[in-house]
Amino acid sequence: MNILSICKRDGNKDTDKRQTIIIYALFTIWVIQFAFICFANLHWSSHVIDGDMADLYGHVREMWRNKTMFISNWQYATTLELDCASILALPLYGLTKDIFLSFALSNIIILILWNLIVYRLVMNCSKSRISALLSADLLMIPYGVGMLEYFNMLFFNGAQYGIKTLIPLIFLCIITSDTENQDKRNRIEIIIMLVLIGALQFITSLSSGMYVMIAGLVPIILYLIISWMNDHGRYSRQEIRTFSAAALVTVICSILGKIISNHFDVTARGTSTGVTVFNNFLLNFQTVIAGLFEVLSCSPETTTPK
């Protein structure tokens, strides 16, 4: 039986019992995965140091020693290395003086926030705890472990994409919230998410340029605008206000982050965004499609000989 179909049934005690069992089972799996990721961060980070992490550890130490995020004459690599675990690891390092513990605690905080947003987003869309827990369980599976693999990029070491992926999820969470509910708690949650997405978008724009804005948020914004143009009655006035507020906050914070980055004249390869020429478009498109399979380890690692 499809476990997702169970949540659609009601009025049946046997079905209610099955729902409860599935919820407890999924929550148990979540606890095990959460505990594993926490353990990995707290006990293994000092034993798994690749080239990127060696640079990042040194960068955070120097930022704290110089008491600035913009170190003079520092040779940046892809980004300014702020929109990742380092943004929380920096103050934690000042408190603990332990670089490994600082990054471990930072990753755990981001992991908690990441799971809360995923759970809330799926609940907004499906109203099903089974779907929400299942989504969280599936997304926390360490599909690939390594320097540029899924686990490291989201939950371990520098977690360079933890914040980058969190921003579109928060945006979706805001626009799928029950905006017609005038409950004080609901309004406060939306305001908190608006403040959070603004802060994170500012940080990632400062560190990585317009990458997240263009690749993660613009497609969502354009889809909502086009769908509204095709059917003006599809969204209520309150939904339009909420969407407009989220879009305005992210755009303004993106611009501010980019302006400050230019003001301090700190640039890296990842902070500049260029438009690809037509000859490279098909190649890039094929790479993106292949990447979707590779990120979940669904494609073979070796080619078949001819």
Side-chain angles (χ1 to χ4, degrees):
M1 179 180 292
N2 186 348
I3 62 173
L4 295 180
S5 65
I6 295 177
C7 63
K8 300 179 181 179
R9 303 182 182 184
D10 52 16
N12 187 315
K13 291 184 178 180
D14 292 336
T15 301
D16 292 338
K17 289 181 180 178
R18 286 197 293 270
Q19 283 188 18
T20 303
I21 292 173
I22 291 173
I23 288 172
Y24 277 114
L26 292 173
F27 181 72
T28 301
I29 294 172
W30 182 89
V31 170
I32 293 172
Q33 291 191 114
F34 180 81
F36 167 77
I37 295 174
C38 291
F39 179 86
N41 277 283
L42 292 170
H43 295 278
W44 295 346
S45 58
S46 60
H47 302 285
V48 186
I49 305 176
D50 53 43
D52 285 348
M53 280 312 301
D55 175 73
L56 189 56
Y57 286 148
H59 189 193
V60 169
R61 282 175 167 172
E62 287 302 307
M63 282 193 290
W64 181 258
R65 188 174 69 85
N66 289 273
K67 299 299 184 290
T68 177
M69 291 188 294
F70 309 112
I71 303 173
S72 178
N73 297 322
W74 185 267
Q75 295 297 316
Y76 295 100
T78 306
T79 71
L80 304 189
E81 299 179 322
L82 298 175
D83 54 341
C84 58
S86 63
I87 194 65
L88 295 177
L90 179 60
L92 289 171
Y93 175 68
L95 293 173
T96 64
K97 305 304 179 183
D98 187 329
I99 193 67
F100 302 113
L101 178 61
S102 302
F103 271 87
L105 294 176
S106 176
N107 282 331
I108 291 171
I109 293 171
I110 293 174
L111 175 65
I112 293 172
L113 181 59
W114 207 80
N115 274 274
L116 287 174
I117 293 298
V118 168
Y119 185 87
R120 174 64 186 271
L121 173 60
V122 181
M123 284 294 293
N124 287 349
C125 298
S126 69
K127 310 298 182 184
S128 166
R129 284 182 293 175
I130 292 177
S131 299
L133 286 170
L134 180 61
S135 299
D137 288 346
L138 292 174
L139 289 171
M140 282 205 298
I141 294 175
Y143 294 98
V145 179
M147 184 172 172
L148 298 175
E149 298 291 344
Y150 183 90
F151 183 69
N152 298 58
M153 290 291 99
L154 289 179
F155 310 126
F156 189 61
N157 277 348
Q160 281 85 352
Y161 276 80
I163 290 177
K164 290 183 178 72
T165 55
L166 189 60
I167 292 172
L169 292 176
I170 297 174
F171 191 90
L172 289 171
C173 200
I174 293 172
I175 64 176
T176 56
S177 297
D178 186 7
T179 55
E180 302 303 319
N181 182 3
Q182 296 301 314
D183 180 73
K184 183 178 180 180
R185 178 181 175 182
N186 187 63
R187 292 200 303 269
I188 291 175
E189 287 180 353
I190 293 176
I191 292 173
I192 291 174
M193 286 190 288
L194 284 171
V195 173
L196 181 61
I197 196 175
L200 295 180
Q201 184 57 40
F202 171 79
I203 293 170
T204 195
S205 178
L206 175 66
S207 178
S208 302
M210 305 299 286
Y211 168 64
V212 174
M213 185 69 204
I214 294 174
L217 296 179
V218 168
I220 302 173
I221 294 172
L222 289 177
Y223 167 78
L224 291 172
I225 291 175
I226 293 172
S227 63
W228 175 78
M229 291 175 63
N230 290 333
D231 184 3
H232 284 59
R234 184 172 183 175
Y235 303 107
S236 67
R237 183 172 298 179
Q238 188 59 40
E239 287 176 326
I240 294 174
R241 288 175 181 171
T242 302
F243 160 69
S244 300
L248 191 62
V249 166
T250 52
V251 170
I252 291 175
C253 290
S254 293
I255 295 173
L256 286 176
K258 189 63 177 175
I259 290 174
I260 292 178
S261 176
N262 293 337
H263 174 73
F264 285 96
D265 194 27
V266 284
T267 57
R269 292 196 308 269
T271 59
S272 60
T273 303
V275 179
T276 183
V277 297
F278 182 77
N279 292 338
N280 293 336
F281 177 79
L282 289 179
L283 177 61
N284 291 344
F285 182 77
Q286 293 172 5
T287 304
V288 169
I289 298 301
L292 294 175
F293 289 92
E294 291 177 1
V295 75
L296 300 178
S297 299
C298 297
S299 60
E301 295 182 1
T302 57
T303 57
T304 304
K306 297 182 179 179

